[in-house]
Amino acid sequence: MRHELQICVLLFTCLYMVSYLILTHFKKTAEFVTEDIEDATVNKIALWLCTFTLSVAVCAVLLLPISILSNEVLLTFPQSYYMQWLNGSLIHGLWNLVFLFSNLSLVFLMPFAYFFTESEGFAGSRKGVMARVYEAVVLLLLLALLVLGIVWVASALLHDNIARKSLYDLWEYYLPYLYSGISLFGVLLLLLCTPFGLSRMFSVTGKLLVKPRLLEDVEDTLSCTSFEEDSLCRKLKKIEGSSTTSCWVKLNMEAMQKEYRTVQRKRIALEMRGKASPWQRNLGYPLAMLVLLALTVMCVLMVCFNVLELLLDEAAMPRGMEDPHLGMASFSMFGSLGAAVQVVLILYLMVSSVVGFYSSPLFTGLLPRAQDTNLTQIIANCVSLLILSSALPVFSRTLGITRFDLLGDFGRYNWLGNFYIVFLYNMLFAGLTSASLIKTVTWAVQRELIRAFGLHRLPLTVSRSTVPFRLLLASGLSKIQ
């Protein structure tokens, strides 16, 4: 028991340091370096709470990969002396800790961090950090009572017996109901964000990689960006040389300086892309697109296979287990290779869900910016990522991406045993992902062909859909030559 606690503390310490580096990269420095020592102290404490929450979110993402890989390691080295520390008790304890800390962060730490940063102390009380603490605790208690009352009324409307028992046994009946509602919200959020993110992964990856010359003219874009940068530089010099000190001029100058820095960064990135080798240009982009397409198709096929299993076998239903029995048998019919594919797919789905979350119109404003993200945005981002990551194990098991059953309290959710919910969830995911993939691929191919053949320069009065195929082919052959 002692060595298991030490391993969990070591893992969490590493994740905490990584999370702190990530948040310090995005935080707005002006909020932490101020003349008001009280505000700076409050912001630092809130940042520590956000770091804790983000580290719990990362650990929740790694739960299934660590569990699956641990099982394969024990299968490969069953009698190894160096693997005696790796056992089912350690994995089970890690699941329980992540469940506890994720709910602690969602229900208490993050609301407290927000109230703490916004509070100023009660009227007539002595100013200071403790006055803010008192106000934040009172607001947190009021919020907890409000949430508990709302959920109790909901449970009374749906399950009258459970609602009556929850008055006498809060821990046994009421909190699992609350956790089940939070998990269901996270899984539904993943259902909306992941298919959209899977389709967005192609465009996001295309912006990071250097495309072949047939699909992108870097030199032309670089020359246009350089002209734009020179134009903005001349305008800035003209404004700086003028004697006008109007506030509108200052605001215009600040906006122009921000635009100038953006264009300058774009020009530097284009110069780096222009220096890419032919192998990186002609091989890297097609391979990346093929890998993304293969992973997405594999996810859809596994979900479709899971739908068939749900209709034929009750064992395909997600459920919880008390003892993982690591090292007994592989959780994939293809052995270690299948387990590795499961880990890759789980991480790929998580990345896609994050991309889809920040690409959706509702949450675009939460997208963090380097050195320019205020503390309220950091808190909102940590809460969002924790909701997504804590629902990832249930999401992956419900879709049949892995056969590793849910451990601890993750398997106690009330809706997991409902066949109709699980079946409808799988059908919706397969349908939404297929529709998004087909739409993205067809529109992307059409857009890249139009751009490659120079047809995007046609006037708006000319319909590009009416361009003859013979003209399109002739233009393409001349481009290739």
Side-chain angles (χ1 to χ4, degrees):
M1 184 66 182
R2 184 178 178 182
H3 78 277
E4 295 174 5
L5 182 60
Q6 292 174 349
I7 293 172
C8 291
V9 170
L10 181 61
L11 174 63
F12 189 78
T13 303
C14 296
L15 294 179
Y16 188 91
M17 291 188 293
V18 173
S19 302
Y20 184 77
L21 293 176
I22 294 173
L23 291 183
T24 51
H25 174 71
F26 288 103
K27 70 176 184 179
K28 185 179 291 185
T29 311
E31 292 186 349
F32 298 88
V33 184
T34 61
E35 297 180 356
D36 194 340
I37 301 177
E38 180 183 332
D39 288 340
T41 304
V42 169
N43 291 338
K44 287 180 181 178
I45 295 174
L47 182 66
W48 295 340
L49 296 177
C50 292
T51 306
F52 178 85
T53 303
L54 184 59
S55 58
V56 173
V58 176
C59 194
V61 173
L62 299 177
L63 273 182
L64 275 178
I66 289 176
S67 303
I68 296 171
L69 294 178
S70 300
N71 181 67
E72 298 301 322
V73 168
L74 291 177
L75 279 174
T76 308
F77 308 101
Q79 304 296 331
S80 176
Y81 173 78
Y82 300 101
M83 294 298 166
Q84 291 183 359
W85 57 272
L86 190 59
N87 50 45
S89 178
L90 173 65
I91 301 300
H92 194 278
L94 186 61
W95 280 69
N96 287 333
L97 287 176
V98 171
F99 182 84
L100 174 63
F101 289 153
S102 61
N103 286 283
L104 180 67
S105 300
L106 283 176
V107 178
F108 295 106
L109 296 185
M110 286 295 94
F112 174 79
Y114 176 75
F115 292 144
F116 192 42
T117 55
E118 297 295 329
S119 62
E120 297 179 355
F122 291 110
S125 62
R126 185 178 180 181
K127 298 299 182 182
V129 177
M130 291 307 300
R132 291 190 172 191
V133 171
Y134 296 148
E135 183 181 353
V137 169
V138 171
L139 290 174
L140 183 61
L141 290 176
L142 293 175
L143 177 65
L145 290 175
L146 177 63
V147 173
L148 290 176
I150 292 174
V151 178
W152 185 83
V153 171
S155 64
L157 293 175
L158 299 176
H159 306 285
D160 185 54
N161 294 331
I162 294 179
R164 290 178 181 177
K165 291 180 180 179
S166 65
L167 288 175
Y168 305 101
D169 199 344
L170 181 67
W171 182 265
E172 186 66 24
Y173 294 97
Y174 185 75
L175 290 181
Y177 192 86
L178 178 60
Y179 298 156
S180 181
I182 295 175
S183 71
L184 182 59
F185 173 75
V187 172
L188 290 177
L189 188 61
L190 282 174
L191 177 63
L192 297 176
C193 295
T194 307
F196 182 55
L198 289 172
S199 61
R200 285 283 300 166
M201 285 291 290
F202 294 92
S203 58
V204 172
T205 307
K207 292 178 182 178
L208 298 176
L209 297 177
V210 182
K211 298 180 182 179
R213 296 185 182 276
L214 179 63
L215 301 178
E216 181 183 37
D217 192 353
V218 180
E219 289 78 9
D220 189 14
T221 309
L222 179 60
S223 61
C224 294
T225 307
S226 299
F227 283 132
E228 186 177 1
E229 183 183 5
D230 294 338
S231 175
L232 289 173
C233 184
R234 287 193 297 269
K235 290 180 180 178
L236 283 173
K237 290 181 178 179
K238 184 177 180 181
I239 294 176
E240 291 175 355
S242 63
S243 57
T244 308
T245 59
S246 174
C247 61
W248 297 106
V249 175
K250 291 182 179 179
L251 289 174
N252 189 22
M253 185 176 179
E254 291 177 358
M256 196 173 296
Q257 286 177 346
K258 187 175 182 180
E259 184 180 0
Y260 174 75
R261 288 192 293 268
T262 302
V263 173
Q264 191 177 37
R265 287 194 296 267
K266 182 180 178 181
R267 191 256 306 165
I268 295 173
L270 287 172
E271 288 179 351
M272 296 295 294
R273 297 177 70 174
K275 297 177 182 178
S277 62
W279 287 98
Q280 182 180 359
R281 181 184 297 275
N282 298 319
L283 189 62
Y285 180 81
L287 279 180
M289 293 296 108
L290 288 176
V291 169
L292 291 178
L293 183 62
L295 290 175
T296 307
V297 172
M298 199 177 301
C299 289
V300 176
L301 292 178
M302 291 184 71
V303 174
C304 293
F305 182 74
N306 187 56
V307 170
L308 295 178
E309 280 194 323
L310 287 172
L311 295 174
L312 302 176
D313 189 4
E314 292 183 359
M317 287 288 294
R319 63 191 67 191
M321 62 177 175
E322 295 299 328
D323 190 357
H325 299 291
L326 296 181
M328 302 294 293
S330 178
F331 291 102
S332 173
M333 64 179 67
F334 299 103
S336 299
L337 179 61
V341 171
Q342 289 180 5
V343 171
V344 172
L345 289 179
I346 290 171
L347 297 177
Y348 176 63
L349 287 175
M350 184 62 202
V351 174
S352 301
S353 65
V354 173
V355 171
F357 177 80
Y358 286 115
S359 300
S360 61
L362 293 176
F363 305 107
T364 305
L366 289 179
L367 185 65
R369 297 177 297 274
Q371 306 298 323
D372 193 27
T373 307
N374 58 46
L375 198 53
T376 304
Q377 282 184 312
I378 290 178
I379 293 173
N381 278 280
C382 290
V383 171
S384 304
L385 292 177
L386 182 59
I387 291 175
L388 292 175
S389 60
S390 60
L392 181 65
V394 184
F395 174 74
S396 303
R397 181 62 185 91
T398 304
L399 294 179
I401 303 298
T402 179
R403 292 300 176 197
F404 192 93
D405 286 323
L406 304 171
L407 290 176
D409 292 321
F410 280 93
R412 294 179 59 190
Y413 298 137
N414 298 330
W415 57 271
L416 282 176
N418 192 316
F419 169 79
Y420 298 102
I421 293 179
V422 175
F423 180 77
L424 182 62
Y425 190 88
N426 281 263
M427 292 295 295
L428 284 175
F429 180 84
L432 290 175
T433 305
S434 302
S436 300
L437 184 62
I438 293 172
K439 181 180 178 181
T440 301
V441 171
T442 53
W443 280 98
V445 170
Q446 180 183 358
R447 184 174 60 252
E448 294 296 345
L449 286 175
I450 289 175
R451 184 179 297 275
F453 297 146
L455 300 180
H456 63 288
R457 299 187 181 90
L458 290 175
L460 295 178
T461 55
V462 180
S463 176
R464 291 166 188 166
S465 60
T466 60
V467 177
F469 177 76
R470 188 176 300 175
L471 178 61
L472 184 68
L473 183 62
S475 177
L477 291 175
S478 62
K479 274 275 186 180
I480 295 174
Q481 292 174 357

